[in-house]
Each structure stands twice: as structure tokens, then as C-alpha cells.
Amino acid sequence: MVALDDETNDADAIAVGRRIRSLRQQRGMRLAELADAVGRAPSQLSMIENGHREPRLPVLRAIAKHLDVTPDELLVREELDPRSELEIALEREMRSPRFRELGLEPFRVPKGMPDEALHAILRLTGEIDRLRDERQATPEQARRANRDLRDLMREMDNYFPDLERVAGELLDAIDHPGGPLTQRAAGDIARHLGVTLHYAPDLPQSTRSVVDLRNGRLYLPDRISTDPRGPILQSLASLALGHTEPSSYADFLRQRVEQNYLAGALLVPEADAVAALSDAKKRRAISIEDLRDAYAVSYETAAHRFTNLATRHLGIRVHFLKVHESGTITKAYENDDVNFPADSLGSIEGQMCCRRWTSRAIFDVDDRFNPYFQYTDTGNGTYWCTARVEQSRQGAHSVSMGVRFDDTKWFVGRETQNREVSRHADETCCRSAPAELENRWRGGSWPNVATPRTLLATLPTGSFPGVDTTALYEFLEAHAP
């Protein structure tokens, strides 16, 4: 005997309803005839047969009695005819949340609809599910996407000619004379792209800026920390590059990298910067601080922009690290064979940086006015780095740029006496506590781990992960001219 609840579940209701209809038709009974026999209105029985209403146990027993079957036979999970199976599969799809998310209204499947049409619709809903799953990136998928993108950057020496060309065309369009890009020039680029700038106090918290493509408006928060050029140019970059809605997390990540690259190429124009860096190399006086000051950008922007130009134009291979004060690596790039810590997937972001490296050692330096330089002996050779600490909403981060020992001769700071030895591949380097401390405290402490949520949960869904689209569209509706 099949155990019966007061109500069948929604998924079974469709199959039960179809089985009732099939048995009724086999017995030559009209809908109204069966409805009258069980004491229900024909409309109510029609709802049950169509799976729109779950029959309660007394009604189910009455129907089974008049169809000369047991209640078990109505509930048993046996195959129906192929056509009924197709119709049931489509009705289940139409009642799913994802169908409603597309803004589609469920419809009655007509008897005359060809089986081929049902198959086609089901294949389309399956493809929608597949694309939706692709967009819902797990931490593992995100790390793979990050790794693949970093591999591409290494292959290109972090230099992308197409993005440099777009930057050059935009600067030519506003007759930029060279040197630092002013805030006024950023506004000129916006006008060239047909966009006006607007500052809004109620910008959705899940966004840094919003572009109203329909009305040609760029909305920015009314309180921008220090330099508004960066947020403006990053938003305009997507327009200039013709970005469309991301189809996957990897696509979203690639677009973010292109945005940042183009914004950096506008703030630190290639031709002028290469000329200045080439001259500094001749004088053996390359300095990230000088590049920062010459173009009035952050140290991170200057260091990252240097990685774009160093290998292609100066013949210098480099590495770049951004490390949170907790020791976690948040950004990384290398083409100089430095051996970054990585997980089993080859992902660097999220790994703990070695305590001996410049990126961690700088947090113990009291002098934050002057740059910090350090040589680090590793199992893969000796590297020299220059680093700074910068503040952000997420706390302090160190930004470091480094080169192999043989290339140190081109840089200011090569005479530093700061030196460390790192064997981060070896557990005894810094990942294990000194034996005396280990023996004293192991088993006598219990830390409450501050684990980043993204390590445990899937990333937010949607084309633009984490963006509240309802708040976004309400904002645009409220501000539209």
C-alpha cells in the first residue's frame, strides 16, 4: 500500500491528474459524469486533471472507486504514454521558478501541438538551465576562471595592443596633449562617448557606478574618496569597448580586467610613459613612485601599469602582488618565473603570502612615507621588490612589484640592505610555528576563524554577480529624465 499524505506533492500532481484523465477516457466517461459521481464541480475536476490542484485523500479515494482502481494505482510511478510524458515534462518546466524568472506565462498545451514542438521547447528550457548554471559560479569555478585569465595575461606579457589602441583613439579624440589625464579630460571622454555625468546620493549599494544606456547618463556616488577619474574611466571603458551582458563568470571577469586595463591606459598614456621609462632605464633610475607622481595616480595603478609596459617596451620581466593585511593574496601576476603559492587548481588569489616576502614584511615597517625595498632569496632564485601600503574600505593592502636579481640594476632602491630567505614550499618556512611555541600552545587554544564567506558559498548569481537588479532598475527609473 502506498503511503498517502493529506496532499500529493506538486510534481506528482501533474502525473496523477494525467493518469486520472487517461483512465476516465479509457472508460468512456465524460468529465462532467465523473465529477458528478465524486460530488465535485466539473471545473474542480478539470483543475485536478490538469495538475493545477492537488487532490485531497478523500477525493482521491472517491475518484479511484469510480474508475474501478485502487488509490495506489493513481499514485504509482509508472510510465505514461510518450505524449503524456512530454506534456507533463513541459508543464513541470512551466511551473518552475526559473520559468517565471524569465517573465513567461505558463500556457495550456493544446492537443494539436506536434511532439516535435514539445521536444524543441524542452531542449530550449534545458539550454536555459545550462546557461544559468554557468553563471552561478562556485568558488572552484571562480578560481579556475581567475587562473585561466592570468595564464592569458602571462602569455601576452600583460600587454594588450587592442586596448592600447582604443586608449590612444580616445585620447586623440579629445586632443589630449600628453602627460597626466585631468578630471576635466575624463569628462571630455564622457562627452565624446555621448554620456553626461551625474552624482547621486542613492546609488544602489551593490554598485560602484551605473550607466543609463537609454539616456546616455553615468551615475556616480556623490562621495568619491579621493580621485573621481578612476570610477569614471572604468565605467566609460565598457562603453568604449562595446561590452555586452556577460554570459558567464569568466566573461564577467574578463570584462573587469579590460575595464581596469583601459582605465590605466588612459590615466598613464602608453607613448609618454614608455618614453619616460626608457629614459629612466638608461639612467638606471626606474621608480614606481616617479611613475605614480608623474601621472597623479595611486601606487597600485602605477605598479600595475608598469607591468603592462615593462616586458614589451623595456625587456624586463616582472611580478606584481597585492596582499591584504591578513596575509591573503588578492591580486597576482608574473612572467618572471617567481614561484607564487597556489592551490591544487593553480589558483593564487586567496592563498597566504609567505611572511618573508616583501609583501608581508612591509607591514612590520614603521616608515610608511618612504618606499620599502627588499631582496628575497627563494628556491627559484633571488628577487628584488619595491612595495607600498595603501588603505581601502577592506583594510590595508600592500602593493609590490618585483623583478629577478639580474634586472635590479635598472631600479632605484637596488642598494637596499633588506634581505630575507623564503622557502614557502617548505612547511618549516613560515606556515608552521616555531617548535617551542607549537609545543606550548597546540591543544591549548581555539581560534574563531574569520573565513571569507566566498570560500564557503557560491558566488552571487546573475549576469553581474552581486548586483541587486531590482534596486538598480528602481534607481534608473527614479533618475531617468
Side-chain angles (χ1 to χ4, degrees):
M1 178 81 177
V2 175
L4 297 176
D5 297 321
D6 287 342
E7 297 184 358
T8 59
N9 62 51
D10 184 57
D12 288 337
I14 301 174
V16 169
R18 290 307 176 94
R19 191 165 287 111
I20 292 172
R21 178 190 295 173
S22 177
L23 289 169
R24 175 179 62 77
Q25 291 174 343
Q26 290 174 21
R27 285 154 176 73
M29 298 178 66
R30 293 180 293 107
L31 179 69
E33 184 180 350
L34 180 59
D36 183 62
V38 298
R40 291 289 183 270
S43 60
Q44 292 178 319
L45 187 58
S46 177
M47 293 282 285
I48 291 174
E49 287 192 354
N50 289 320
H52 295 303
R53 174 169 296 178
E54 299 171 347
R56 295 185 180 277
L57 182 56
V59 176
L60 196 67
R61 285 173 173 163
I63 292 173
K65 177 182 177 181
H66 285 84
L67 292 176
D68 196 24
V69 296
T70 66
D72 288 2
E73 291 178 77
L74 295 181
L75 293 173
V76 69
R77 294 179 178 273
E78 64 181 16
E79 290 188 3
L80 299 169
D81 62 275
R83 171 69 184 200
S84 294
E85 292 288 351
L86 280 175
E87 292 182 1
I88 288 174
L90 180 55
E91 288 192 29
R92 283 174 175 164
E93 283 293 330
M94 288 191 290
R95 298 184 192 187
S96 68
R98 54 187 175 278
F99 200 86
R100 293 193 296 271
E101 287 172 3
L102 294 172
L104 300 176
E105 290 294 330
F107 57 88
R108 179 179 172 275
V109 180
K111 293 181 180 179
M113 179 178 284
D115 289 359
E116 292 78 10
L118 296 179
H119 279 293
I121 295 173
L122 287 171
R123 283 197 296 270
L124 288 173
T125 58
E127 180 64 11
I128 291 171
D129 289 345
R130 186 188 68 80
L131 292 173
R132 188 173 182 270
D133 289 341
E134 278 190 2
R135 287 180 172 181
Q136 187 170 343
T138 63
E140 178 178 327
Q141 291 171 318
R143 291 197 295 271
R144 288 184 189 275
N146 231 351
R147 179 204 61 197
D148 293 344
L149 185 57
R150 192 177 61 254
D151 288 344
L152 173 63
M153 294 164 67
R154 184 189 300 112
E155 179 184 336
M156 300 294 295
D157 292 326
N158 208 23
Y159 178 85
F160 293 88
D162 290 345
L163 298 178
E164 298 286 355
R165 177 184 54 78
V166 173
E169 291 173 352
L170 289 173
L171 293 172
D172 289 341
I174 64 169
D175 297 322
H176 182 59
L181 188 79
T182 63
Q183 185 173 333
R184 179 177 178 180
D188 291 341
I189 293 176
R191 282 188 288 275
H192 171 71
L193 294 173
V195 173
T196 56
L197 304 180
H198 303 265
Y199 294 89
D202 57 339
L203 199 72
Q205 292 188 353
S206 58
T207 64
R208 293 189 292 181
S209 64
V210 172
V211 179
D212 180 347
L213 297 172
R214 181 174 300 170
N215 297 297
R217 290 180 157 212
L218 169 57
Y219 294 102
L220 299 157
D222 61 350
R223 292 183 180 180
I224 298 180
S225 54
T226 52
D227 187 353
R229 295 176 304 164
I232 291 173
L233 295 176
Q234 287 172 354
S235 298
L236 296 176
S238 285
L239 294 178
L241 295 172
H243 284 163
T244 56
E245 184 175 306
S247 59
S248 64
Y249 182 75
D251 194 26
F252 167 76
L253 196 61
R254 176 189 57 80
Q255 290 184 2
R256 285 287 299 272
V257 168
E258 290 180 349
Q259 282 179 279
N260 291 333
Y261 190 110
L262 183 55
L266 291 168
L267 289 167
V268 185
E270 179 181 21
D272 291 344
V274 168
L277 289 170
S278 297
D279 177 67
K281 184 182 178 184
K282 290 178 182 177
R283 296 184 286 107
R284 301 195 175 202
I286 297 177
S287 167
I288 302 301
E289 284 75 17
D290 289 349
L291 189 64
R292 174 200 62 188
D293 296 342
Y295 292 93
V297 293
S298 68
Y299 186 87
E300 180 178 350
T301 297
H304 193 270
R305 187 64 176 138
F306 183 78
T307 68
N308 300 149
L309 306 173
T311 305
R312 181 62 60 95
H313 293 290
L314 304 177
I316 301 174
R317 296 191 172 275
V318 298
H319 68 264
F320 170 94
L321 267 182
K322 183 175 180 180
V323 177
H324 186 257
E325 57 187 337
S326 64
T328 307
I329 297 173
T330 58
K331 288 184 182 179
Y333 166 76
E334 59 81 19
N335 68 351
D336 60 358
D337 298 322
V338 69
N339 188 12
F340 287 145
D343 63 14
S344 59
L345 299 176
S347 178
I348 296 170
E349 289 78 9
Q351 299 301 300
M352 291 297 291
C353 181
C354 179
R355 286 176 172 270
R356 315 290 185 225
W357 283 12
T358 311
S359 303
R360 292 287 299 279
I362 191 174
F363 286 112
D364 296 325
V365 176
D366 293 331
D367 182 3
R368 297 293 172 87
F369 181 79
N370 294 300
Y372 177 72
F373 308 109
Q374 178 182 299
Y375 288 98
T376 307
D377 298 324
T378 74
N380 209 31
T382 298
Y383 291 85
W384 171 91
C385 290
T386 174
R388 282 277 189 178
V389 172
E390 294 187 328
Q391 297 292 329
S392 71
R393 287 182 297 178
Q394 291 76 38
H397 284 82
S398 70
V399 176
S400 62
M401 190 287 303
V403 297
R404 295 179 295 196
F405 180 82
D406 291 345
D407 288 318
T408 307
K409 57 182 177 287
W410 310 117
F411 291 85
V412 171
R414 58 185 175 272
E415 68 283 350
T416 182
Q417 299 301 306
N418 297 322
R419 199 175 196 109
E420 283 283 0
V421 177
S422 170
R423 296 289 185 267
H424 70 264
D426 182 357
E427 189 73 26
T428 60
C429 174
C430 69
R431 286 182 290 173
S432 291
E436 182 179 352
L437 289 175
E438 177 88 7
N439 294 333
R440 183 183 307 166
W441 289 105
R442 188 166 189 175
S445 62
W446 188 267
N448 184 15
V449 182
T451 306
R453 286 176 298 169
T454 52
L455 294 180
L456 301 177
T458 57
L459 293 170
T461 57
S463 303
F464 302 92
V467 172
D468 183 339
T469 53
T470 300
L472 171 64
Y473 298 149
E474 288 177 347
F475 170 83
L476 289 170
E477 186 69 21
H479 288 270

